[in-house]
Amino acid sequence: MTFDLTPEQDQLRDAVRALGRRYGHGYFVEKAKAGEHTTELWAEAGRLGYLGVNIPTEYGGGGGGITELAIVCEELAAAGCPLLLLVVSPAIAATVLNRHGTEEQRKRHLPGLADGSQKIVFAITEPEAGSNFHRLGTVARRDGDDWVLNGRKCYISGVDEAGHVLVVARTEESGTGKLKPALFLVPTDAAGLTRSKLDMEIVSPENQFLLYLDDVRVPADALLGESLDAGLPALFAGLNPERITVAAMGAGTGRYAIERASEYTATRKVWGGRSIGSHQGVSHPLAHAAVQVELARLMIQKAATLYDAGRDLEAGVSGNMAKYAAGEAAALAVDTAVQVLGGAGMTTEYGVATLLGAVRAGRIAPVSREMILNFVAQHVLGQDKSY
Ligand SMILES: Cc1cc2nc3c(=O)[nH]c(=O)nc-3n(C[C@H](O)[C@H](O)[C@H](O)COP(=O)(O)OP(=O)(O)OC[C@H]3O[C@@H](n4cnc5c(N)ncnc54)[C@H](O)[C@@H]3O)c2cc1C
């Protein structure tokens, strides 16, 4: 057992940290408040190879795994730049394409994802189905060689920045009448695909959308994989990378908040010569949050290591636990940081209250804490399913 990163991973972490700090939380917030995207940071990270660390070298990537991508997510977040689209595009879309796409689809899309010139976002959530994807109502119907998609999706991140959206739909399996999921690479400018931006209480340069699919016609090769059978495994392939990288983003955000707060409490003096951090009512909550973040990081490391070793089932358990732990730790860390900063905690200048919405959302999305507890109760503790 080792808790050390390899020298290459160490170098990656230092380099991404340096890049993130060059931009910093001020840049992230400025972009969000101006309604703009972090285009410069994304482009530079892509040029330096950080967005494609988990993509095979033959498609222009770094040939690493989810461990490397988690490092990128965590370090950018630790610098105050938690980029959700890292979870959507390189983690989910690139993994799904690499593992279940056709060779033609890999060649067409992975190089652009690797250098950051292309983004593919992911659409599964629907207003009616919610957490229960078995109730998906978006339907794909065969029409000659084409597919025609109809349905509605909600909270879809980054549609305005992406060239394609990976849409999860259901198809009617001929013969049995059984419904099974299929994934489609739909161009974001496809006829019949419209969107409306949701107003979210999150300070973020990345946006969420309602998507309407009205007779969206795509060619046969928009279906991800060689056949309809690729759908279910492709859907599951995205889950572990999603959980691990979103957890890494949470852990990084927690580290960022604790660092901001500790710098402040170590120097702020309001009672004689003592720093407020010398009072345990201030330092213990911060120390407690630091312990929770560090525990989450350990679980992230375990999940990523298992995933990169091809141990998908075990990675599923650890990945869910890591996502749960990091979601809770990040929310605790940011809330604690706001508290110990006093009034400064609520200012934009000190850069922690700006993260309250994002960490709160991290306990709901991409999978809620309750659904993770359901997973653990059923798959680890052997409890019956209640739903
Ligand atoms: C910032 C943000 C970005 C997002 N980006 C994307 C994206 O890019 N693509 C995408 O497809 N989706 C995205 N989502 C959607 C997200 O994945 C869903 O919001 C999430 O899965 C929960 O689904 P829901 O909102 O429909 O909640 P519901 O399913 O309606 O659940 C509401 C509440 O009830 C609880 N609950 C539901 N069923 C059970 C049960 N059986 N047992 C116990 N508790 C239960 C849930 O945990 C939750 O707390 C995003 C959401 C947010 C907030």
Side-chain angles (χ1 to χ4, degrees), residues 235-320:
L235 189 55
F236 280 108
L239 295 184
N240 283 335
E242 173 200 77
R243 278 142 172 71
I244 295 167
T245 52
V246 84
M249 215 173 87
T253 305
R255 278 173 50 203
Y256 166 84
I258 291 167
E259 194 182 316
R260 287 281 77 71
S262 313
E263 281 165 7
Y264 184 82
T265 57
T267 51
R268 168 93 171 148
K269 292 179 179 150
V270 290
W271 302 100
R274 286 172 175 274
S275 64
I276 56 168
S278 68
H279 303 298
Q280 288 155 349
V282 171
S283 63
H284 279 191
L286 270 181
H288 174 64
V291 171
Q292 301 307 308
V293 169
E294 202 53 31
L295 288 173
R297 293 183 74 227
L298 266 183
M299 192 50 101
I300 292 164
Q301 202 180 340
K302 177 177 177 183
T305 304
L306 287 169
Y307 179 82
D308 287 336
R311 292 160 65 178
D312 283 357
L313 285 179
E314 293 156 277
V317 172
S318 302
N320 273 293

Side-chain angles (χ1 to χ4, degrees), residues 84 88 122-127 129-132 154-157 200 202 208 361 364-371 374 386-387:
L84 183 56
V88 177
F122 183 66
I124 182 166
T125 309
E126 296 185 0
S131 303
N132 181 4
C154 55
Y155 309 119
I156 309 308
S157 302
M200 306 289 282
I202 303 173
Q208 278 70 47
I364 298 166
V367 55
S368 70
R369 60 195 295 282
E370 291 77 22
M371 293 312 289
N374 285 336
S386 72
Y387 49 95

Side-chain angles (χ1 to χ4, degrees), residues 96-342:
V96 165
L97 269 160
N98 187 41
R99 285 180 70 164
H100 296 282
T102 63
E103 181 54 18
E104 168 55 27
Q105 288 167 340
R106 280 194 284 271
K107 280 193 188 137
R108 198 183 322 148
H109 296 290
L110 288 179
L113 294 185
D115 67 17
S117 59
Q118 205 197 122
K119 293 181 190 122
I120 299 181
V121 294
F122 183 66
I124 182 166
T125 309
E126 296 185 0
E128 306 302 327
S131 303
N132 181 4
F133 81 83
H134 296 285
R135 284 192 61 202
L136 286 187
T138 299
V139 174
R141 178 173 52 80
R142 199 88 220 218
D143 186 25
D145 280 345
D146 296 342
W147 288 95
V148 179
L149 275 68
N150 279 286
R152 267 205 309 157
K153 300 282 177 185
C154 55
Y155 309 119
I156 309 308
S157 302
V159 189
D160 54 339
E161 299 184 56
H164 287 78
V165 51
L166 195 53
V167 173
V168 185
R170 59 195 304 160
T171 59
E172 252 193 16
E173 195 183 2
S174 56
T176 65
K178 208 173 132 201
L179 292 156
K180 54 196 270 183
L183 276 64
F184 294 89
L185 284 152
V186 179
T188 45
D189 60 0
L193 180 70
T194 51
R195 62 178 185 245
S196 68
K197 184 171 165 294
L198 285 161
D199 286 331
M200 306 289 282
E201 296 298 333
I202 303 173
V203 178
S204 170
E206 297 162 322
N207 301 308
Q208 278 70 47
F209 293 87
L210 275 169
L211 279 189
Y212 306 90
L213 296 106
D214 295 303
D215 287 331
V216 176
R217 181 174 289 275
V218 288
D221 66 0
L223 173 73
L224 186 111
E226 300 288 353
S227 76
L228 280 176
D229 291 335
L232 199 58
L235 189 55
F236 280 108
L239 295 184
N240 283 335
E242 173 200 77
R243 278 142 172 71
I244 295 167
T245 52
V246 84
M249 215 173 87
T253 305
R255 278 173 50 203
Y256 166 84
I258 291 167
E259 194 182 316
R260 287 281 77 71
S262 313
E263 281 165 7
Y264 184 82
T265 57
T267 51
R268 168 93 171 148
K269 292 179 179 150
V270 290
W271 302 100
R274 286 172 175 274
S275 64
I276 56 168
S278 68
H279 303 298
Q280 288 155 349
V282 171
S283 63
H284 279 191
L286 270 181
H288 174 64
V291 171
Q292 301 307 308
V293 169
E294 202 53 31
L295 288 173
R297 293 183 74 227
L298 266 183
M299 192 50 101
I300 292 164
Q301 202 180 340
K302 177 177 177 183
T305 304
L306 287 169
Y307 179 82
D308 287 336
R311 292 160 65 178
D312 283 357
L313 285 179
E314 293 156 277
V317 172
S318 302
N320 273 293
M321 289 184 171
K323 197 275 162 186
Y324 179 92
E328 298 303 304
L332 176 73
V334 171
D335 187 62
T336 304
V338 170
Q339 188 66 21
V340 301
L341 275 149

